[in-house]
Amino acid sequence: MRRTLTGLLIFATATLLGATGVAHAGGWAVITMDPLVDSPVENQPLSVGFTILQHGVTPYTTDKAFIIVTDGTGRTERFAAKPAGQPGHHIAEVTFAGSGVYGWEVQPDWFAMQPLGEVAVASATAAPTDASANTTTTTTTREPIALTLRVLLAVALALAIVLVMAEFKTAQRRVTT
């Protein structure tokens, strides 16, 4: 009986780890933004470049990358990015509909969305000259940590189920003897 439970525990753990590993294999990327050449100004196209690195190392090129901007009212707009230059490098032409502070993020194909922070967009009549003074960018991702936690939780759950089943079987044997 103990051998059967040990085998069941090993099988359940291997199955959970294997399924999770296949489902999320290669499922994270790091986005590195190019410095902005110009300051964002309402209704004027702004070239925004970034590089996608799968696992933070391997350049990833795709036609399915987007920059998504959100204004203060919550209205969002997507701008397609196209591969340009070195492998993994993309450029999107972004036009902000009005002045103010926008949130923005990159959707790099099927990878997790990555926030870029906020960007201040000047009105066309009072455009600032220093692009770096208007942006805050964040290029990290928490997806690998979340994946690890999900795997650990699944293993703990499988172990708990096996232990409860073993205790139930032991209690059942005591009752019948």
Side-chain angles (χ1 to χ4, degrees), residues 40-43 71 75 77 95-102 120-124:
V41 177
E42 67 178 330
N43 298 316
D71 66 14
R75 185 180 75 86
E77 196 169 352
T95 303
F96 297 93
S99 62
V101 177
Y102 285 75
V121 179
S123 71

Side-chain angles (χ1 to χ4, degrees), residues 10-167:
I10 292 171
F11 175 75
T13 303
T15 301
L16 283 172
L17 289 176
T20 304
V22 170
H24 294 285
W28 64 278
V30 174
I31 303 300
T32 306
M33 298 298 294
D34 296 351
L36 291 179
V37 177
D38 297 315
S39 295
V41 177
E42 67 178 330
N43 298 316
Q44 293 182 14
L46 176 68
S47 224
V48 180
F50 59 91
T51 301
I52 304 171
L53 296 176
Q54 186 171 14
H55 304 130
V57 178
T58 307
Y60 183 85
T61 302
T62 180
D63 286 327
K64 296 177 183 173
F66 300 90
I67 291 184
I68 301 168
V69 299
T70 306
D71 66 14
T73 67
R75 185 180 75 86
T76 63
E77 196 169 352
R78 284 173 33 139
F79 299 91
K82 298 294 176 202
Q86 296 294 320
H89 189 261
H90 301 77
I91 294 179
E93 293 296 319
V94 178
T95 303
F96 297 93
S99 62
V101 177
Y102 285 75
W104 60 346
E105 53 197 351
V106 173
Q107 174 61 63
D109 200 350
W110 59 275
F111 296 109
M113 187 96 63
Q114 294 190 28
L116 300 176
E118 294 181 332
V119 60
V121 179
S123 71
T125 58
T129 56
D130 184 12
S132 64
N134 292 322
T135 61
T136 304
T137 59
T138 306
T139 58
T140 60
T141 181
R142 293 185 177 97
E143 184 65 23
I145 294 169
L147 173 61
T148 302
L149 290 175
R150 287 193 300 260
V151 168
L152 290 174
L153 181 61
V155 170
L157 181 61
L159 182 59
I161 290 170
V162 168
L163 291 174
V164 167
M165 287 174 49
E167 185 60 33

Side-chain angles (χ1 to χ4, degrees), residues 1-2 5 162-177:
M1 182 64 168
R2 195 172 261 316
L5 289 175
V162 168
L163 291 174
V164 167
M165 287 174 49
E167 185 60 33
F168 178 75
K169 290 285 187 182
T170 303
Q172 209 174 27
R173 260 187 278 147
R174 282 186 206 139
V175 169
T176 58
T177 52

